[in-house]
Amino acid sequence: MRVAVIGAGVIGLSTAQSIYEHYHSIVSPLTIEVYADKFTPLTTSDGAAGFWQPYLYDKGNVQETKWNKETFDYLLSFLKSPESIKMGIFLESGYNLCSEPAPDPSFKDSVLGFRQLTDRELQIFPGYKFGWFNTALMIEGKTYLPWLMECGMWSGQLQPDPDLKPGRGQILKVDAPWLKHWIITHDFTKGTYNSPYIIPGYRLVTLGGVFQMGNWSEQNSSVDHKEIWEKACQLEPSLKHARIVDDWSGLRPVRSKVRLEREAIWSGETPIEVIHNYGHGGFGLTIHRGCAEEAARLFGQIVEQKGKGPKARL
Amino acid sequence: MMKSVRVVVVGAGVIGFSTAVCIVEALPFCSVTLMADKFSPDTTSDGAAGILFAAQFPDIPLQRQKHWFKDSFDHLLAIAQSQCAPEAGVMLSSGWQIFKEVPAVKKPFWSEFVIGFRLMTDVERKRFPDHKFGQAFTTLKCECSTYLPWLEKRFRKAGGQVEQRKVNNLQELSNNFDIIVNCSGLGSKVLVGDTQVYPVRGQVLKVEAPWVQHFIRDGDGTTYIYPGIRSVTIGGTRQEGDWRLQVDDRDTKGILERCSRLEPSLNKAKILNEWVGLRPSRKNPRVEREVVELQGRPVPVVHNYGHGGWGVTLAWGTALDTLGLVKQSLHEMAPQPKL
């Protein structure tokens, strides 16, 4: 069988990996080719802070919560091994801050040591009255993507999907190695990621948050830069002396919910089987493994239909 | 004309400088000189990881020990939250203290002063299969190779004088100073003849492992991983009565083995350097005052030494305590025009 995976961000590469892992010994030969116009380190996944955390609430998309947890557990299982460094994954704890009490987030049972913030902790963050502390995972795209499989180059037309819109983000990268905790603030009036966040990474700290729906510009905006920097310094005064190293903008592939399903596209007399796996917004790294495994499961259905695999169920 | 009271602080480690800063900032009518043989980066404090934990001393009232810890913690927390944090070398650090056997005391006295103290969940403990119990909390790290120069700046700004000189006995000082504050750590063994002071040798490695964001400490105090601003300190050893300052390769091997068991990714970490320090240990820290007859004069001497491996943890709290004792000594001295 020949499989073409379109897209070489975290979703494309991990989907290719899951299909390979489950089927390379069952379907022979199995050729998987990844096509994209951008590969690491130029994809959206590469620019992301690389922090595992879903949006606070899944709005009834319980399937997404399940995939997020599956991804977390999968990554966590690698931590015992030195392989984890090659993958770019490590544990990091931190603070989710709100200006008013809010219901527990969807991920409270996925992360480690989830608890509410104590009064003492809230004193550290004036202006915030409520929040949570937990230990989560970092997953740096620039390291993780090379670790996943990689392949050839081809660029082509993809189908338009009116539900898919860009959610423009801009971030600063600064040198502030004394920061060891992520700090994410939430403003329910402004919406997800339109509120400051500070995410220390492997070598640099990512400052954000901007989430501009419908903005296709991948240029850095000096207005956004100023806003991000000032808000971050307010949240974490020690940043005043941090050296700004880089600016980056990316377009989150936003959709009302993830499109993960099969579609048969007719080209002449034989249909091309397509598995869609896109629309992960700002939580691609967070959800990638769960979705990749589901895509592999759909692939299994195709394998059975085409009579290419053993009768045994996977 | 008013003659100001001349105070000398002996010792330029974290205890010496913390004490000197407390005194010079609180008592503007005193002239304060800090005198020591060794300065940063050559003090015992410089190699210490500087993570704030406390032990419980047997003979000091618990209330006083609580003050020591709380005052130190609050002082450093305020710095951590300010713009000065990177310049002072202070940062917040979260992590876990784990025990192979369930300890007698599950919630130590200092648990109320650190941040977010709780017991580890079962899922968290799964990462450490050799350990049955653990505590999770957020504390502070204070890196003396950065903090001591920062304190020195603060000391000088408030009018303090710094002199590099090895002090061999208190007599030498009594000509030029009215009050002696002894922060000489292990040096007190010779300087004031305290036979109760003894070294506890500690060896550590500094490694490059920026992916390690949490501290992990075995409750026995001998195996620990402390991520810092630019490196991760891993250790350690506790060799009582051992005066050796040279690196011991067997200890290096032992440290790497024990720490890699807790955090396997450390196998890939590059070793940046190794260091040995002698913790200035004593059954209890000596924070008290006395009057010593020196060259025919009664001279107030205030002691602040013997903090063992808890120097950074207790520095500010014991410095404040020492300041109180200096004030008491001032009140008892021959009347000065104005206090």
Side-chain angles (χ1 to χ4, degrees):
Chain A
M1 277 179 87
R2 278 190 73 195
V3 179
V5 173
I6 301 172
V10 67
I11 300 300
L13 295 183
S14 61
T15 302
Q17 185 197 40
S18 285
I19 291 174
Y20 179 80
E21 275 175 5
H22 288 281
Y23 293 99
H24 79 276
S25 54
I26 293 170
V27 178
S28 192
L30 178 66
T31 318
I32 303 175
E33 291 162 321
V34 176
Y35 292 87
D37 69 340
K38 295 228 177 91
F39 282 78
T40 180
L42 301 172
T43 72
T44 309
S45 307
D46 288 291
F51 169 56
W52 185 100
Q53 183 166 292
Y55 298 167
L56 288 184
Y57 307 109
D58 62 23
K59 300 188 168 96
N61 280 328
V62 292
Q63 183 60 262
E64 288 180 6
T65 297
K66 185 166 153 281
W67 287 331
N68 288 329
K69 182 175 188 346
E70 192 180 333
T71 305
F72 190 90
D73 292 342
Y74 168 72
L75 295 172
L76 192 66
S77 71
F78 283 94
L79 280 186
K80 313 191 225 341
S81 98
E83 188 75 359
S84 60
I85 306 172
K86 285 207 214 115
M87 293 167 76
I89 61 177
F90 52 95
L91 287 174
E92 192 171 303
S93 295
Y95 308 90
N96 274 293
L97 304 172
C98 307
S99 45
E100 71 219 18
D104 284 349
S106 63
F107 52 80
K108 73 179 191 39
D109 295 323
S110 306
V111 295
L112 301 177
F114 179 87
R115 61 170 174 79
Q116 274 185 24
L117 291 178
T118 62
D119 288 335
R120 195 112 164 279
E121 286 170 311
L122 288 168
Q123 277 168 29
I124 299 178
F125 304 107
Y128 294 95
K129 301 211 178 69
F130 183 82
W132 308 284
F133 182 95
N134 63 259
T135 303
L137 278 163
M138 297 295 296
I139 162 173
E140 301 226 320
K142 286 205 169 77
T143 311
Y144 190 64
L145 262 51
W147 183 80
L148 294 169
M149 286 163 18
E150 59 189 302
C151 245
M153 299 281 255
W154 185 70
S155 113
Q157 286 282 84
L158 297 170
Q159 287 180 328
D161 176 349
D163 193 10
L164 186 66
K165 300 184 179 78
R168 183 181 173 279
Q170 183 167 323
I171 54 163
L172 273 60
K173 290 245 194 241
V174 308
D175 184 26
W178 58 89
L179 295 178
K180 310 284 181 189
H181 299 83
W182 42 263
I183 307 171
I184 319 273
T185 67
H186 302 270
D187 182 334
F188 298 113
T189 60
K190 294 214 178 110
T192 311
Y193 296 141
N194 265 323
S195 191
Y197 59 77
I198 296 168
I199 304 177
Y202 186 85
R203 296 224 182 260
L204 297 173
V205 179
T206 301
L207 310 179
V210 156
F211 195 118
Q212 296 150 348
M213 282 296 291
N215 186 347
W216 283 92
S217 169
E218 285 181 86
Q219 302 298 320
N220 293 317
S221 144
S222 55
V223 170
D224 289 338
H225 175 115
K226 188 161 177 285
E227 168 99 351
I228 292 167
W229 175 247
E230 282 173 8
K231 290 255 171 74
C233 287
Q234 245 177 32
L235 184 58
E236 178 56 64
S238 70
L239 280 172
K240 258 278 147 59
H241 299 283
R243 189 173 54 102
I244 300 177
V245 171
D246 208 1
D247 261 77
W248 181 84
S249 305
L251 307 179
R252 301 174 183 87
V254 178
R255 200 173 182 274
S256 57
K257 65 184 188 68
V258 171
R259 187 177 183 200
L260 181 41
E261 62 189 10
R262 283 173 60 181
E263 187 184 359
I265 296 179
W266 290 89
S267 160
E269 288 178 10
T270 41
I272 301 174
E273 289 288 347
V274 177
I275 299 170
H276 295 287
N277 185 6
Y278 66 86
H280 305 81
F283 52 93
L285 288 160
T286 296
I287 203 173
H288 77 273
R289 178 70 180 187
C291 289
E293 291 288 283
E294 175 65 19
R297 202 185 61 76
L298 294 175
F299 180 78
Q301 284 177 4
I302 298 171
V303 166
E304 272 197 48
Q305 275 171 231
K306 291 191 183 248
K308 301 259 182 177
K311 283 300 179 183
R313 266 202 38 225
L314 284 142
Chain B
M1 188 165 129
M2 187 177 84
K3 181 173 175 254
S4 80
V5 177
R6 301 161 304 168
V7 179
V8 62
V9 176
V10 179
V14 70
I15 303 299
F17 263 116
S18 301
T19 306
V21 167
C22 279
I23 296 173
V24 79
E25 288 183 351
L27 306 175
F29 53 86
C30 285
S31 88
V32 187
T33 302
L34 184 143
M35 195 177 288
D37 179 29
K38 298 245 168 72
F39 284 80
S40 176
D42 300 318
T43 72
T44 308
S45 308
D46 282 285
I51 288 262
L52 264 66
F53 277 120
Q56 196 164 329
F57 300 107
D59 306 314
I60 305 213
L62 190 59
Q63 246 340 83
R64 195 176 182 203
Q65 294 190 55
K66 282 186 175 183
H67 271 297
W68 284 349
F69 189 89
K70 184 179 190 307
D71 288 345
S72 302
F73 196 93
D74 291 347
H75 158 80
L76 291 174
L77 182 61
I79 296 174
Q81 291 169 231
S82 77
Q83 289 187 30
C84 301
E87 201 199 327
V90 182
M91 51 173 257
L92 281 170
S93 182
S94 294
W96 307 282
Q97 178 167 237
I98 53 183
F99 297 79
K100 294 203 171 87
E101 296 300 329
V102 180
V105 179
K106 292 189 181 169
K107 286 190 79 177
F109 79 86
W110 46 265
S111 58
E112 56 177 297
F113 304 120
V114 295
I115 297 173
F117 183 96
R118 62 174 172 83
L119 303 186
M120 282 167 77
T121 63
D122 290 336
V123 178
E124 287 176 306
R125 271 190 305 110
K126 277 210 181 76
R127 292 182 51 230
F128 307 108
D130 295 337
H131 295 77
K132 295 202 180 97
F133 176 83
Q135 302 148 337
F137 53 95
T138 302
T139 182
L140 291 156
K141 188 179 200 282
C142 173
E143 302 191 344
C144 286
S145 51
T146 310
Y147 185 61
L148 292 182
W150 184 78
L151 277 183
E152 183 171 341
K153 239 170 89 170
R154 195 167 147 174
F155 178 64
R156 288 180 188 267
K157 190 159 176 230
Q161 303 287 313
V162 177
E163 202 181 308
Q164 194 277 324
R165 199 177 102 192
K166 185 168 167 76
V167 178
N168 295 301
N169 52 62
L170 298 183
Q171 272 80 357
E172 288 173 24
L173 301 170
S174 58
N175 277 334
N176 301 316
F177 300 99
D178 306 307
I179 298 181
I180 299 172
V181 182
N182 171 27
C183 303
S184 61
L186 209 48
S188 291
K189 197 171 165 70
V190 170
L191 187 63
V192 298
D194 185 344
T195 53
Q196 291 182 54
V197 170
Y198 61 96
V200 175
R201 181 181 178 279
Q203 184 170 315
V204 294
L205 276 62
K206 289 220 160 62
V207 306
E208 194 178 86
W211 58 86
V212 177
Q213 307 280 39
H214 298 88
F215 69 79
I216 305 172
R217 180 184 198 259
D218 191 309
D220 68 16
T222 316
T223 303
Y224 47 80
I225 297 164
Y226 295 141
I229 295 178
R230 298 221 180 256
S231 64
V232 179
T233 301
I234 63 173
T237 66
R238 282 190 177 272
Q239 294 139 330
E240 296 197 359
D242 192 337
W243 289 88
R244 292 174 301 145
L245 280 168
Q246 307 81 355
V247 168
D248 185 331
D249 288 334
R250 292 166 302 178
D251 289 334
T252 304
K253 192 159 170 285
I255 290 166
L256 282 168
E257 255 167 38
R258 285 180 276 124
C259 290
S260 297
R261 273 182 75 92
L262 294 183
E263 180 54 67
S265 67
L266 286 175
N267 272 318
K268 304 269 174 180
K270 179 170 142 204
I271 300 177
L272 298 170
N273 69 290
E274 295 189 72
W275 181 85
V276 176
L278 307 179
R279 300 173 183 84
S281 307
R282 201 172 180 274
K283 192 165 172 224
N284 301 282
R286 187 178 182 199
V287 186
E288 64 188 18
R289 67 187 184 108
E290 60 175 347
V291 176
V292 181
E293 183 93 4
L294 295 169
Q295 308 214 42
R297 266 174 59 227
V299 178
V301 177
V302 183
H303 299 287
N304 188 9
Y305 68 86
H307 301 71
W310 319 108
V312 176
T313 297
L314 300 175
W316 198 257
T318 49
L320 287 174
D321 220 348
T322 303
L323 170 64
L325 295 172
V326 168
K327 284 182 180 169
Q328 281 178 32
S329 301
L330 284 166
H331 278 120
E332 282 174 13
M333 279 165 71
Q336 299 285 342
K338 229 168 89 175
L339 270 170

